[in-house]
Amino acid sequence: QHLSIVVWSHARLCFVHKPFLTATATVAAKSAARFDTQGVGNIVWAYGVLGFDDGPLTDAMLVRAAVLMDNLTAQEICNVASGLFASNRLPEIRHFLGLAAPVLLQRRTMDSNGGCASNSAQWAEVANLARAAARAGGDFAAASQLSTHFRKVFMQPVMEGLSKILRTPESAVPEAMAALQRATDAIGATHLGELYTQEALAELGFCVCTAGEAAPPAWAAEARVRCAAESLEPRAVLTTDAILAHASWDVSFGAVAFTNPGKVFRAGWSGDVAQEVKEMLQPLRQHPKRDAHPERLALLELFDGLLRDRGGGPMSQTLSACAGSMELYVTQHPCVSCLAVLCQAQRRCPSVSIAVAFDSSWPQRPVGRRQ
């Protein structure tokens, strides 16, 4: 337990001390039978995050995880799977998820509304890791089982809510947001993970790419570089203040053009934006609060600029008459609340094309490990 806590602390600090990690791996592998469930999850996750792959340690901990499988929490299963994926241990993650999937599926609990009572974040992480492993090495039973459950319990209700926002009459957008709020409250969904978010955006009609793909669009590659230059100290667990967005747009309303060649947005409060503008891009009420996310701040700045120069007339009429394009890059996949904000923006500005790019959290986390 002490070994796993210290290594976990190193990982949280993104601090690589090779002699210590080597010595710890040797001792931990020999005493794997003494590790409890939390210790197994922590140490596999930590070595994966630090990019320090030790074969004997991983093998020993996977044997111990198999023994403890029925007692592993969803978070501990997620930690082991995340550590294996970060270490590029694809055969091991396929084997581990093959053992873990029946446990997760059997243990899932449903509340009175039919939604998952808890562990939605862990389900999103595990489902995305399984899908990534299937993409890399071919489909396998556990990936299909996890995908089927995740789609039915989590993704389907979210997509129904987002589609309603996008396609409902503008006057009914607040009720559509309320319906999505009720759905996410019931299932506890805060995000869909990297791969399912990419799928969701494409299904909703947005132009979407991942900035880390082999040949990303030039705007996404440039935005990634600019955000990296302004990023905070590397950390192993992402927080709101560590997520950046880069937005550019070229939007016109009649003869009035509103152009932004590119700006980095950090999470914060939009104090200069009129309240009536904020109400047009409502976040979901979730913990932690979602109204300060950088994606929303970028869209608020765009809307505020368009509406300040509109002259007279209803705001909705001005926005619906706008045309042009916006390009939005985020250093992490958008959460469900930010997807809802994007859908509200697209619904209110149907002639403004919105392209979205984001990075995968694992290859980018942590950036610049300290030696």
Side-chain angles (χ1 to χ4, degrees), residues 14 16 114 116 124 136 161 187 196 233 265 273 301:
C14 302
V16 178
C116 184
I187 61 179
Y196 288 98
E233 178 178 311
F265 292 82
V273 177
E301 183 169 310

Side-chain angles (χ1 to χ4, degrees), residues 154-362:
F154 298 101
M155 190 168 182
Q156 182 177 328
V158 169
M159 289 301 296
E160 288 175 354
L162 293 173
S163 297
K164 187 176 181 181
I165 294 169
L166 203 56
R167 296 173 174 85
T168 195
E170 187 170 350
S171 60
V173 169
E175 173 52 35
M177 277 295 295
L180 178 61
Q181 182 72 62
R182 292 191 293 270
T184 55
D185 287 346
I187 61 179
T190 57
H191 71 92
L192 299 176
E194 177 203 353
L195 299 179
Y196 288 98
T197 296
Q198 186 177 3
E199 178 182 323
L201 284 167
E203 186 174 325
L204 292 166
F206 293 92
C207 178
V208 59
C209 71
T210 54
E213 62 190 39
W219 68 266
E222 180 182 352
R224 187 186 199 190
V225 171
R226 292 192 62 185
C227 285
E230 297 193 25
S231 63
L232 297 174
E233 178 178 311
R235 59 192 69 190
V237 177
L238 286 178
T239 55
T240 299
D241 63 335
I243 299 174
L244 303 178
H246 181 281
S248 59
W249 53 72
D250 185 2
V251 180
S252 60
F253 172 61
V256 179
F258 189 50
T259 303
N260 164 27
K263 177 181 175 180
V264 175
F265 292 82
R266 194 182 299 278
W269 304 107
S270 50
D272 296 334
V273 177
Q275 184 61 34
E276 57 184 353
V277 176
K278 295 179 183 178
E279 291 175 356
M280 304 189 82
L281 297 172
Q282 287 285 341
L284 291 173
R285 299 186 305 276
Q286 295 179 326
H287 180 76
K289 295 183 71 173
R290 311 281 159 162
D291 47 355
H293 283 194
E295 302 97 304
R296 181 171 182 257
L297 295 187
L299 286 162
L300 284 174
E301 183 169 310
L302 170 61
F303 271 41
D304 191 55
L306 292 171
L307 295 172
R308 282 180 189 272
D309 297 332
R310 77 182 188 279
M315 291 192 297
S316 59
Q317 183 177 338
T318 298
L319 292 173
S320 63
C322 290
S325 62
M326 176 186 187
E327 295 162 339
L328 177 67
Y329 162 79
V330 194
T331 57
Q332 167 76 328
H333 55 261
C335 66
V336 172
S337 178
C338 288
L339 293 179
V341 169
L342 280 165
C343 287
Q344 291 173 79
Q346 189 68 87
R347 177 63 189 87
R348 298 187 188 282
C349 296
S351 296
V352 176
S353 64
I354 303 177
V356 183
F358 56 85
D359 264 313
S360 166
S361 59
W362 276 110

Side-chain angles (χ1 to χ4, degrees), residues 100-178:
V103 175
L104 286 173
L105 292 166
Q106 183 178 10
R107 191 189 298 163
R108 67 185 185 271
T109 56
M110 309 298 285
D111 66 18
S112 59
N113 296 321
C116 184
S118 61
N119 301 326
S120 63
Q122 290 76 28
W123 263 101
E125 189 80 12
V126 170
N128 277 271
L129 291 169
R131 187 172 180 181
R135 280 187 174 185
D139 201 11
F140 57 107
S144 298
Q145 294 165 357
L146 293 169
S147 175
T148 298
H149 177 75
F150 182 75
R151 289 179 183 280
K152 178 181 179 180
V153 175
F154 298 101
M155 190 168 182
Q156 182 177 328
V158 169
M159 289 301 296
E160 288 175 354
L162 293 173
S163 297
K164 187 176 181 181
I165 294 169
L166 203 56
R167 296 173 174 85
T168 195
E170 187 170 350
S171 60
V173 169
E175 173 52 35
M177 277 295 295

Side-chain angles (χ1 to χ4, degrees), residues 25-103:
T26 301
V27 175
K30 292 179 179 178
S31 57
R34 297 170 57 190
F35 276 67
D36 63 8
T37 57
Q38 184 179 13
V40 171
N42 282 351
I43 202 164
V44 176
W45 176 85
Y47 273 84
V49 164
L50 292 172
F52 196 93
D53 186 22
D54 186 282
L57 172 65
T58 301
D59 295 342
M61 289 300 156
L62 286 178
V63 171
R64 182 60 176 163
V67 172
L68 299 172
M69 184 59 69
D70 289 341
N71 297 316
L72 289 174
T73 66
Q75 183 62 64
E76 289 158 356
I77 290 172
C78 181
N79 286 349
V80 173
S82 298
L84 293 172
F85 189 79
S87 298
N88 200 31
R89 291 295 200 102
L90 294 180
E92 288 83 356
I93 195 173
R94 292 166 69 94
H95 173 72
F96 174 74
L97 290 176
L99 299 176
V103 175

